[in-house]
Amino acid sequence: MRKQLLSAVSCLSAVLATAGIQVDRYGQITAEEWPGKVKTDMELRADAAREASELTVSAFDPAKFDRFGGRLDAGSFEATGCFCKKKIDGRWWLITPEGHRFFLIGCDAVDYNENGYSTPVYGPGGKTRPELAGTLPDPGEYPGAYNGNRSKFNYLAANLQRKYGPDFRKKALETARRRLIAWGFNSSAKWGWGTEIGLSYFEDLNFRSVRRFGRCIDPYDPGFAERAEREIAVQVARRKHDPMLVAYATENENGWDFNNIQELTAAPADLAAKQELVDYLIGKYGEEQAARLFGLTGGRKEMLANRTAVTLPREDAAAVITAASRRYHETLSGIYRKLDPGHMWFAASHCRGQSMEWIYAGAPYVDAFMLNEYDLESPWIMGQIAGYEKLDVPFVVTEFSFTADGRGMPPRWETNNVGTERERGIAYRHYTERLAAHPLCIGFGYFLFYDQPVTMRNLPDGENHNFGLVSQQDRPYKEMLAEVCKSNSRLEAVHQGREKPFAIAAPRSMLGSKLREQVFSRFLSGSTSPAIILDLRASHYFNGEKIRAKVNEAAVADKPGDYYFGTIDLKAQKASGVEVRAFLWNRPGIPEMVLIEESADNRHFTPVAPAMRPGHTGSDYTEFFITPCNPLKKSTRYVRIGVRVSDPSKSWAVQFCGLKMTPEQP
């Protein structure tokens, strides 16, 4: 019954998200009820009084830890006055400014002011969104809940004011510090944007004045170093003398990938990075042959003038990315070392969309890698771990998270979505302890402290997920946290090798089962490739289709091959044929990825040419209805649907949505 109820809630959430949800004055969805749903301001004030009596500890136990959370019983090392790193008995550790061993256990974005906690006030046409109608208080009474031009509203901030009174920010941050310490955390990790709560943290910077192509920085631009240094100097001036700073960070998830090399081939001629690319190709192939790679006659001038994207040989794209990464990291590392030699620089947080060439080439210049991954089984990090081992550079996971359906907040990824709040905590244990056991892992930053708003952090299809340890009504998820605390109390011992990591026997069984049933119910059990996952993001690219299946690029890196959404038993479905609904990325060669195969015995399959009828066309994807080009054989009972992946970096380019069965003829 509980599974049926959760499945109904998941379906309801998807429907409401499509139609436009309704919320109450506390930012809670009105169409659902749950234990602990806030009804009155009095309840919030009672919460504040209760926690004030419970959270009496405001600092680490001085008998066990230094003021940064470093262990007093694990040896003493050089006290540099800043955080640093050290390899001890074959394992990497952070060392506190007072010289004690430290394993970072953090939570991101502890301040309600973080932009992702707010929601847009206005919809298309500049009118107040109907789902917010009647819930927005007087800006004069709640000034801290609105941004400067009142285009965004923060239900969390309004709830904190109701709970703590006019001085709510100071009290909320004090409560956040006490909570984190009580729950076994020792850092506020990322996305503080200058917020200090007396715990260690990373200081982020996104450059505003450097030249880019798309999101990518051009490290060859003549003004790159000078412009970057001006911005870094401002950052360093704020933080140079703060011992709580663990490390500087720059440009979250913004390294080059192979798609960026395609962008670069079509960039303006005056872009220095494009000139570098063209000169590399000419140096390797000669001017005439290099121009042929662009489909051009002529030479350097014609290549620079080209504004049509070109796919270059992978080895050449990899070489260009490697050289650009070295230039980028060497330049920025030199600036940080000059302006603040005491503190570490971890560069960007990396994610699976980036080229590993970009990440690995930065190794000589960074003090540690920062990695983001939203996947219970951590296939991307574990798949690349051998490369990190060869480089002997430690890593910290700066973003990971787990969600559960309900309260109007749909899952964002199948790979980190579980059924209940307690399961969120169990997933946290599985993820953190498995990685903490690795000698290179020096800590974590959980994303994030509070839930996102159910009304979305941006439009048209922004995030609205319960990533948080705490709801937008400032109520901690106690069932989840009970499990989180178990791991936080032992992560340091797991990393040292004194305790074995906790692990779920069958982690995939926890993930997205309710959603998968909606998509894969007509396929034979066990016929779906393990690398196939659900994609729940950016439905505006897919004609509003919120739940789709795709190949998980993290699971197929450097593994070309055939991957199957599943096999249909036509007899069991009482069907004579099938029509596949899918979205294909609007790029040449993508339709050739679609596979339809037929079989009489479910063992020997023969390819069938697909006929593709286009439907809705969007900016990046086109909807297709796909059927066998010719009638199926009379002996055919089974039809298998899949994709052929020749370029793993584009494995996600086919998005499967559903099936329509052709009824058997009487």
Coordinates of all heavy atoms in Angstrom, one line a residue, residues 83 94 104 189 200-204 235 239 243-250 336 343-347 367-368 370 396:
F83 N 44.5 26.1 6.5 CA 44.3 24.7 6.2 C 45.3 24.3 5.1 O 45.7 25.1 4.2 CB 42.9 24.5 5.6 CG 41.9 24.3 6.6 CD1 41.1 25.3 7.1 CD2 41.6 23.0 7.1 CE1 40.1 25.1 8.1 CE2 40.6 22.8 8.1 CZ 39.9 23.8 8.6
L94 N 43.3 16.6 5.2 CA 43.4 18.0 5.5 C 44.0 18.2 6.9 O 43.8 17.3 7.8 CB 42.1 18.7 5.4 CG 41.5 18.8 4.0 CD1 40.0 19.3 4.0 CD2 42.3 19.7 3.1
L104 N 36.9 16.5 6.0 CA 35.9 17.5 5.8 C 34.5 16.9 5.7 O 34.3 16.0 4.8 CB 36.2 18.4 4.7 CG 35.3 19.7 4.5 CD1 36.1 20.9 4.0 CD2 34.2 19.4 3.5
A189 N 31.1 24.1 3.7 CA 31.5 23.7 2.4 C 31.3 24.9 1.4 O 31.8 26.0 1.5 CB 30.7 22.5 2.0
S200 N 34.5 25.9 8.9 CA 35.3 26.0 7.7 C 34.5 26.0 6.4 O 33.4 25.5 6.4 CB 36.3 24.8 7.6 OG 35.6 23.6 7.6
Y201 N 35.1 26.5 5.3 CA 34.3 26.7 4.1 C 35.2 26.9 2.9 O 36.4 27.1 3.0 CB 33.4 28.0 4.2 CG 34.2 29.3 4.4 CD1 34.5 30.0 3.2 CD2 34.6 29.7 5.6 CE1 35.3 31.2 3.3 CE2 35.4 30.9 5.7 CZ 35.7 31.6 4.6 OH 36.4 32.8 4.7
F202 N 34.6 26.8 1.7 CA 35.3 27.1 0.4 C 34.8 28.5 0.0 O 33.6 28.8 0.2 CB 35.0 26.1 -0.6 CG 35.4 24.7 -0.3 CD1 34.5 23.7 0.0 CD2 36.8 24.4 -0.2 CE1 34.9 22.4 0.3 CE2 37.2 23.1 0.1 CZ 36.2 22.1 0.4
E203 N 35.6 29.3 -0.7 CA 35.2 30.6 -1.2 C 35.2 30.5 -2.7 O 36.2 30.2 -3.4 CB 36.3 31.6 -0.8 CG 36.1 33.0 -1.4 CD 35.0 33.8 -0.8 OE1 34.3 33.3 0.1 OE2 34.8 35.0 -1.1
D204 N 34.0 30.7 -3.3 CA 33.7 30.5 -4.7 C 33.9 31.8 -5.5 O 33.7 32.9 -4.9 CB 32.3 30.0 -5.0 CG 32.1 28.7 -4.3 OD1 32.5 27.7 -4.7 OD2 31.4 28.7 -3.2
Q235 N 38.7 39.0 -4.2 CA 38.4 37.8 -3.5 C 39.4 37.5 -2.3 O 39.0 37.3 -1.2 CB 38.3 36.6 -4.4 CG 38.0 35.2 -3.7 CD 38.2 34.0 -4.6 OE1 39.2 34.0 -5.4 NE2 37.4 33.0 -4.5
R239 N 39.5 37.3 2.1 CA 39.6 36.0 2.8 C 41.1 35.7 3.2 O 41.3 34.7 3.9 CB 39.1 34.9 1.8 CG 37.7 35.1 1.5 CD 36.8 35.0 2.7 NE 35.4 35.2 2.5 CZ 34.6 35.8 3.3 NH1 35.0 36.3 4.4 NH2 33.3 36.0 3.0
P243 N 41.4 32.1 8.8 CA 41.9 30.7 9.0 C 40.8 29.7 8.7 O 41.1 28.5 8.4 CB 42.3 30.7 10.4 CG 41.6 31.7 11.1 CD 41.4 32.8 10.1
M244 N 39.5 30.1 8.7 CA 38.4 29.2 8.4 C 38.3 28.8 6.9 O 37.7 27.8 6.6 CB 37.0 29.8 8.9 CG 36.8 29.8 10.4 SD 36.7 28.1 11.0 CE 36.6 28.5 12.8
L245 N 38.9 29.6 6.1 CA 38.9 29.3 4.6 C 39.8 28.0 4.4 O 41.0 28.0 4.7 CB 39.5 30.4 3.8 CG 39.7 30.2 2.4 CD1 38.4 30.0 1.6 CD2 40.5 31.4 1.7
V246 N 39.1 27.0 3.8 CA 39.8 25.8 3.5 C 40.6 26.0 2.2 O 41.8 25.7 2.1 CB 38.9 24.6 3.3 CG1 39.6 23.3 2.8 CG2 38.2 24.3 4.6
A247 N 39.9 26.5 1.1 CA 40.5 26.7 -0.2 C 39.7 27.6 -1.0 O 38.4 27.7 -0.8 CB 40.7 25.4 -0.9
Y248 N 40.3 28.3 -2.0 CA 39.6 29.0 -3.0 C 39.1 28.1 -4.1 O 39.6 27.0 -4.4 CB 40.5 30.1 -3.6 CG 41.0 31.2 -2.7 CD1 42.3 31.1 -2.2 CD2 40.1 32.2 -2.3 CE1 42.8 32.1 -1.4 CE2 40.6 33.2 -1.4 CZ 41.9 33.2 -1.0 OH 42.4 34.1 -0.1
A249 N 37.9 28.5 -4.7 CA 37.4 27.7 -5.8 C 37.0 28.7 -6.9 O 36.6 29.8 -6.6 CB 36.2 26.9 -5.3
T250 N 37.0 28.2 -8.1 CA 36.7 29.1 -9.3 C 35.9 28.3 -10.3 O 36.2 27.2 -10.6 CB 37.9 29.7 -9.9 OG1 38.9 28.7 -10.1 CG2 38.5 30.8 -9.1
Y336 N 46.9 32.9 -7.7 CA 46.6 32.6 -6.3 C 47.8 32.5 -5.5 O 47.9 32.9 -4.3 CB 45.7 31.4 -6.3 CG 44.3 31.6 -6.5 CD1 43.7 31.3 -7.7 CD2 43.5 32.2 -5.5 CE1 42.3 31.6 -7.9 CE2 42.1 32.5 -5.7 CZ 41.5 32.2 -7.0 OH 40.2 32.4 -7.2
H343 N 47.0 29.9 1.5 CA 45.8 29.1 1.3 C 45.9 28.3 0.0 O 46.6 28.6 -1.0 CB 44.5 30.0 1.2 CG 44.1 30.5 2.5 ND1 44.2 31.8 2.9 CD2 43.4 29.9 3.5 CE1 43.7 32.0 4.2 NE2 43.2 30.8 4.5
M344 N 45.1 27.2 0.0 CA 45.0 26.3 -1.1 C 44.1 26.8 -2.2 O 43.2 27.6 -1.9 CB 44.6 24.9 -0.7 CG 45.6 24.2 0.3 SD 45.1 22.5 0.7 CE 43.8 22.9 1.8
W345 N 44.3 26.3 -3.4 CA 43.3 26.5 -4.5 C 42.9 25.2 -5.1 O 43.7 24.4 -5.5 CB 44.0 27.4 -5.6 CG 43.2 27.7 -6.8 CD1 42.0 28.3 -6.8 CD2 43.5 27.3 -8.2 NE1 41.5 28.4 -8.1 CE2 42.4 27.8 -8.9 CE3 44.5 26.7 -8.8 CZ2 42.3 27.6 -10.3 CZ3 44.5 26.6 -10.2 CH2 43.4 27.0 -10.9
F346 N 41.6 24.9 -5.1 CA 41.0 23.7 -5.6 C 40.4 23.9 -7.0 O 39.9 22.9 -7.6 CB 39.9 23.2 -4.7 CG 40.5 22.6 -3.4 CD1 41.8 22.6 -3.1 CD2 39.6 22.1 -2.4 CE1 42.3 22.1 -1.9 CE2 40.0 21.6 -1.2 CZ 41.4 21.5 -1.0
A347 N 40.5 25.1 -7.6 CA 40.0 25.3 -8.9 C 38.5 25.1 -9.0 O 37.8 25.5 -8.1 CB 40.7 24.5 -10.0
D367 N 45.5 22.0 -5.7 CA 45.9 21.3 -4.4 C 45.0 20.1 -4.2 O 45.3 19.1 -3.5 CB 45.7 22.2 -3.2 CG 46.8 23.3 -3.2 OD1 48.0 22.9 -3.1 OD2 46.5 24.5 -3.5
A368 N 43.8 20.1 -4.8 CA 42.9 18.9 -4.8 C 41.8 19.1 -5.9 O 41.6 20.2 -6.3 CB 42.2 18.8 -3.4
M370 N 37.9 19.0 -7.0 CA 36.6 19.1 -6.5 C 35.6 18.4 -7.5 O 35.7 18.7 -8.7 CB 36.2 20.5 -6.3 CG 37.1 21.3 -5.3 SD 36.7 23.1 -5.3 CE 35.3 23.1 -4.3
V396 N 37.7 16.1 -3.1 CA 36.6 16.3 -2.2 C 35.4 16.3 -3.1 O 35.4 16.9 -4.1 CB 36.8 17.6 -1.4 CG1 37.0 18.8 -2.2 CG2 35.6 17.8 -0.4

